[in-house]
Structures are given as structure tokens and as C-alpha cells.
Amino acid sequence: MKNIPELFGCKVFNDAVMKERLPKDVYRSLKNTIAGERLESSIADTVAREMGAWAVENGATHYTHWFQPMTGTTAEKHEGFIQRDGESGVIMAFSGKNLVSGEADASSFPSGGLRATFEARGYSAWDPTSYAFIKDDTLCIPTAFCSYRGESLDKKTPLLRSMEALSREAVRIVRLFGDTETTHVTAECGPEQEYFLIDAEAYRARPDLIYCGRTLFGARPPKGQEMDDHYYGQIKPRVFAFMQDLDEELWKLGILAKTEHNEVAPGQHELAPIFGTANLATDHNQLTMEMMKKVAARHGMACLLHEKPFAGINGSGKHDNWSLSTDTGRSLLKPGKTPSQNAQFLLFLTAVIKAVDENQDLLRISVSSAGNDHRLGGNEAPPGIISIFLGDDLMALLEDIMAGAKPEDRPRTRLNIGAGVLPEFSRDTTDRNRTSPFAFTGNKFEFRMPGSSDSIACPNMILNTIVAQTLSEFADELEKSGNFAADLNELIHRTLIEHRRILFNGNNYSEEWAQEAQRRGLLRFDSTVDAMAHYTDEKNVKMFDRLGVLSPTEIASRQEVLLENYSKTLLIEALTMIDLARKDIAPAVLRYENELLEERGRKSLFPVPLSTGLEDELLKRISSLSEQLCSRLATLEADVVRAKEVTGTLKSAVFYRETVFSDMAELRAVIDELETAVARKYWPFPTYAEMLNSIK
Ligand code: ADP
Ligand code: MG
């Protein structure tokens, strides 16, 4: 029997360990740092000494500054604790300097142009708000990563800045409602992580999965997810063993893995942790993805985190549950007990509604990647159009407010801002619509567009920033007010009417909604390329700059990196496809064709005439398909060459999207048909049916 409470966090230099090991004054000073004050340099050495000793006692031999470059992965450079001691001895040592900052060659990380103008060196700075932990016998110190001039080269820094901006503006608002105690407001987040598991042998036989994370071809299986028999279905023993092992690894790292279940598609599963601060949740989600892959390998399986590993089968997302709470323990997205708390809830709700409507472009950008493009817009994931689902009760309430009905004329709800109470919104009334990209679920919003492999740093950074912006506008207006209650009512009334177009409770997958959304003037971006061009729009640059989240150069560099990443991903996919088509698929087709020809030849030598109808039919089909294979392959190859000649990051990405991507789709269509035409024994790759059912 395992003692879970004892196991939990055993690899983390967490609060309990700090309290136990650090001198009282150092511990207190570090806690202040975690709460947002500057680190006193005098305590760094003491903290480092204890942290290092603790790590060595727990088996660590190395340390690393663990950071998150703009590509959305994590990076580490290991340094040994080892140091000379006298002539022949060594000691394990770790200093305050080692802890607080590191220097890394930034030239190998994408900088989106920042590097060209400045130095190649990159600096990492300890983030004391995220605990250090031990992984692979290495003490990992969560850090921010920036250039010589202090420009952020990572995903953590802007996230931390956005949390600060949001806290600052939210505190201004709660002050207006008489809250004098709150000093900090935190964005909290619980990301639900979807993933696929397939057998390692099937994985190894699919170079497209290995190089691209998704299958580049594969005919529809006879049985996909039509029977809906996988969702919440019985968990297979191998998968169960994996989940147990994974939970344990995550618990050791202090990650609150909580819910594990099967998802809709065969071989698809989900893990949800208990929510935490947006910063911790982001670090933990990165670690969770890493552990999923490692633990799967241990169990002879491969974990696929791509947004769309199998065409025609549900893809994987990451629902970002997001809420706001005060350091006094109050949720700001939950109706309260008093009229004033209810009014405050309505103001925060209104702020989110306005923020989402005014920044549809940024929310779409925050989830843009080549992988997620396959998912958004498919009939399983939110479409590329952003709207908010509030549920019937809350919607009725807002309708009343917008109609300007007096409290006593509001038969549908008991609520008004001046007096009375809001009904408690149960999950039942708020969580019915699974098609909405942005749904209110009782005391939090669930942003359902992020892709399964994405870091949630960017979606959370954007959410925090846009809400900070609207809160700041509200605070500017209300702080000047001479009649708070009346001006508050007027502000909510006016803002809701202005932004009501973003509210939609219906089916987001329907064609009618796409048309309706267009009538309402909502934005629709079908691809990363369409969306990404707007990152540097004046409205966005101004807002990020004003709130101190991203400077104009930092935004430009992010746009550059994301677009570059998009083009590179498509290039790798195209090259992989060409390689497999030439070296594996074409030879398989020829072998089968040859067998048919030989068979037919033998029959024609037979003294009695035999029917060759079947051979002729099959040969005709194969020959016509192989001709198409030949020409479509040639087109893709030629366009890949042309793509390399296109200059400019955006132009290049557009070419990949418009030309290379559609060439690949054309080629895939022939290959998938060939798969159904060529004899099984010649087909060189496991089929969809084999992969999706590879775990018994
Ligand atoms: P679902 O029905 O969407 O699967 P769950 O109850 O499983 O919903 O919760 C999904 C995620 O939302 C979990 O990670 C959970 O910790 C998180 N969550 C719950 N409450 C909050 C909150 N107030 N703020 C942020 N995340 C939350
Ligand atoms: Mg959910």
C-alpha cells in the first residue's frame, strides 16, 4: 500500500520543506518574495545551500534552470553540483548565484528577430513562485528566460507580467466595492489534458507519427468512434496501469492529478488536475505532458499529444478552466450572498464579456498552431469563431438588465444589482453546451480552444491581459463616479448592450451559427496564418505595452516565431510525406501491380481460356491511382522547392498554407485510396484500425 499523502510532493522543494529547512527570517523573506516582493540577495545563498543539500539528499547530482522558450516546449541545460575539493576530492555545491540566475547561449532558441539586434547570450532568472523540483536526478529550477537587454524570450515572463497586471486592475475594482483587505487577485487555472495512447510497436512503424506527431495518411477504419462506446468506457488494464503510474509520478512532483477517464475516440483519454495559479498550472501542465510520454514508453506505449493524430477521428484539446480569486479566498466569478457582492460579480462578468468581444482576434491567436488548425472548425472542437456561452439562467438575467427592466419587473430571475440575491448557478444550468469555445461553468470560464500539445501560457497570458484591460477601463470610469450605484448600473447596462453579439447559447457546430456570426460581425479565422497577421494590430500592441505585458518588439518577435514554426511544421510534414510516398508506398504499389501482371500473364498461357476480369479490373484501378500518385507527388515536390524561395515570414506561411498544405491533402487522398486497393501484405504501414485498436 502506498502512502499517497507522504508520496505527494516528495520531489518538490515546497513550502513544507522550506519551512522545515530554512531559518525563520529567511523563510519569511522568501515567502514575501513569492507574494510579489523583490528577492533580497542576502537570502539567496542560504536558500541555495538548503535547496542544494535537500536535492543531493534526494539523489540529485545535477541542477538546471528549467525554462520555456517561445516554441512552447521546455528547455534545460544540466550542470553538475560537483566541485573540486583539495587535491583529490570533490564536494557537491550549489550557491545563491547558481540559483538566482543562469546564462545560456540563446542563439539556438528562436528569438523572432530579437537576437539579430542584440546579443546571443540569454539569461535565466529564478521564478520563486514556482517550486523547484527533482526530475531525472536533476534539481530543476523554474526560471524566466530573457535576452541581454531584458526582452522576454520565453512564455513564462509575459504570463507572470499579465498576472500582475490583472491583479493590479482587479484590486482597483474590489476597492470600489469596499474591499480593503484584498491585496492580490490571482488568475487560477485547471487544464484538462486530452491524449491518445497506442502501442509502441505500431508507433515505431509509422515514421509520420514519429516525425510529425500525426498520421499523414491512412484510410478510414471500418470502425471508428461511430458506436460512441469509448467515452467513459471501461479502462483497459494496460491503460489503467499507465494511469496509476502516471498519477504517482505527477503526485511526487506535487501535481494534483485528479481525474482520469476515456475520451470519445478509441485510444483517447483525458487527465484533469486540481486547479492552481495560472503560473503553476502552466509549469505543471508542461511537466504532465513530459511525464505522459515517459510513462507511456515505460508501458510499451506511445502517448500522442498532437491535436489531430488521426483524420476523421476526434482530435485532442486542452480545456483551460480559468477563474479569479482574491488572496482573502474569495472567487470573483461567483455570485455572492449580498447585493454588493452580486453587483461585483456582474461587473467582473461584464468585464470578461467585453474583453472577449473586443479581443476575438487575440483569443484565436492564443491557440493558433499548425496542429490546432486541424481541430478548430472540425465538428468536434469549437469553431474558429469565438462566442460566450452563459447558460439560460444567467442569459435571462442579462437580457433583463439589457432591457432595462426594474427589479420588480424581473419575473424570470430574482436578481437585481441594487437589492436581492443572485440565484446560485449550479453546474447543471451552466455546463450543458459542449460546443461553445468559451463557456461560463458556474464559477469559472472554460476556454475550450487550446490544442492538446499547446502550452497554456499564451492562452492564459492573453486572457489575463484582455480582462486586465477592461477592468482598468471600468476602474478609470467608476473611480471618478459621484453616484456609484447609479453609474455602476449604467456601465453594466451599456457595456452588455454594446457586446451582446458575443453571447451565444446555441449549437456552435451548426452552419446557421456560422452565418449568424457573420451577420453579427464576429471574426472568423480558419487558419493560424489568417489569425496571426493580427497579433501586431495597433489595438493589440498598445494594450500589451500599456499594461506592461509585452513590448512592441516582443510581440513582433512572437508573431515571427509562431509563423516560422508554422512553416517549419508544414515543411517537415511535406518532406516526410514525400519520403514515405517515394520509398515505401510507391514500391508497395509496384510490387502489387507486378503480382497482378504475373498472375494475368500466367493465366494467358493456360491452354483453356480463363477469365482475367478481376486482374484487369484491379490493374486498371491501380494503374490509374499510381498515375495520380506520380503527378501529385511531383506537384508537392515542386511546390516545396518553390516554398523555400518565398521571402518574408508571413508570405512564406501563406504559401505553405495555400499551396503546400493543399498539395498534401491531394496526395493524401490518392494514398488513402491506394491503401484500400493494394493487398494487405504489401501495405508498408499499420492501418488506422490497427493503430487505434493496438492496445488490447
Ligand atoms: P469538466 O466537466 O469540464 O470535465 P471538471 O469538474 O472535471 O469539469 O473540472 C475541470 C477542471 O476545472 C479541473 O481541472 C478543475 O480543477 C478545474 N476547476 C474547477 N474549479 C475551478 C476554478 N474555480 N478555477 C479554475 N479551474 C477550476
Ligand atoms: Mg471540460
Side-chain angles (χ1 to χ4, degrees), residues 208-209 212-216 306 308-309 374 573 661 664 668:
D208 47 355
L209 280 182
C212 312
R214 73 179 183 101
T215 54
L216 299 173
H306 193 282
K308 196 78 177 174
H374 293 282
E573 288 184 351
F661 187 72
M664 284 170 61
R668 176 185 181 137

Side-chain angles (χ1 to χ4, degrees), residues 214 370 373-374 566 570 573-574 636 654-667:
R214 73 179 183 101
D373 277 0
H374 293 282
Y566 177 87
L570 261 65
E573 288 184 351
L636 177 60
V654 169
F655 187 84
Y656 274 103
R657 165 78 189 173
E658 286 176 358
T659 309
V660 175
F661 187 72
S662 57
D663 290 350
M664 284 170 61
E666 299 261 299
L667 179 57

Side-chain angles (χ1 to χ4, degrees), residues 302-514:
C303 172
L304 310 179
L305 289 172
H306 193 282
E307 284 73 20
K308 196 78 177 174
F310 307 101
I313 302 283
N314 268 12
S316 302
K318 180 142 52 192
H319 294 175
D320 186 38
N321 293 275
W322 178 91
S323 69
L324 293 174
S325 75
T326 65
D327 56 351
T328 52
R330 240 166 10 93
S331 166
L332 294 175
L333 291 179
K334 211 170 133 184
K337 299 249 174 330
T338 66
S340 162
Q341 284 170 356
N342 285 337
Q344 185 186 289
F345 160 73
L346 274 179
L347 188 64
F348 275 98
L349 184 72
T350 305
V352 175
I353 291 169
K354 173 172 150 79
V356 171
D357 186 34
E358 286 178 347
N359 299 284
Q360 301 161 44
D361 53 347
L362 284 175
L363 286 170
R364 176 66 179 85
I365 285 165
S366 80
V367 297
S368 286
S369 70
N372 214 14
D373 277 0
H374 293 282
R375 184 176 155 262
L376 300 179
N379 264 7
E380 82 208 53
I385 307 165
I386 313 263
S387 66
I388 301 180
F389 169 85
L390 292 177
D392 294 339
D393 287 2
L394 197 47
M395 196 59 199
L397 167 70
L398 297 194
E399 293 283 1
D400 281 346
I401 295 175
M402 286 186 274
K406 292 211 178 62
E408 52 277 21
D409 305 333
R410 290 179 188 163
R412 280 187 290 181
T413 53
R414 287 175 295 141
L415 180 115
N416 67 77
I417 313 175
V421 286
L422 262 177
E424 280 269 342
F425 296 106
S426 66
R427 287 181 66 91
D428 285 351
T429 58
T430 54
D431 199 20
R432 264 187 240 122
N433 191 333
R434 310 301 287 183
T435 69
S436 174
F438 200 89
F440 181 69
T441 49
N443 59 353
K444 59 183 162 66
F445 280 95
E446 184 169 337
F447 185 30
R448 299 196 176 117
M449 291 173 96
S452 47
S453 68
D454 279 346
S455 159
I456 49 166
C458 187
N460 282 314
M461 178 272 282
I462 300 253
L463 259 174
N464 295 344
T465 307
I466 63 179
V467 174
Q469 170 66 27
T470 48
L471 290 177
S472 141
E473 288 170 30
F474 287 179
D476 285 347
E477 186 173 329
L478 293 173
E479 279 166 358
K480 286 199 270 282
S481 160
N483 183 346
F484 182 67
D487 289 345
L488 175 69
N489 272 320
E490 195 276 325
L491 171 67
I492 292 177
H493 175 81
R494 161 171 39 98
T495 311
L496 287 177
I497 287 179
E498 216 171 295
H499 298 287
R500 75 187 310 164
R501 64 171 187 171
I502 200 74
L503 303 176
F504 179 62
N505 274 0
N507 178 7
N508 283 259
Y509 296 170
S510 70
E511 186 44 42
E512 294 85 72
W513 168 235

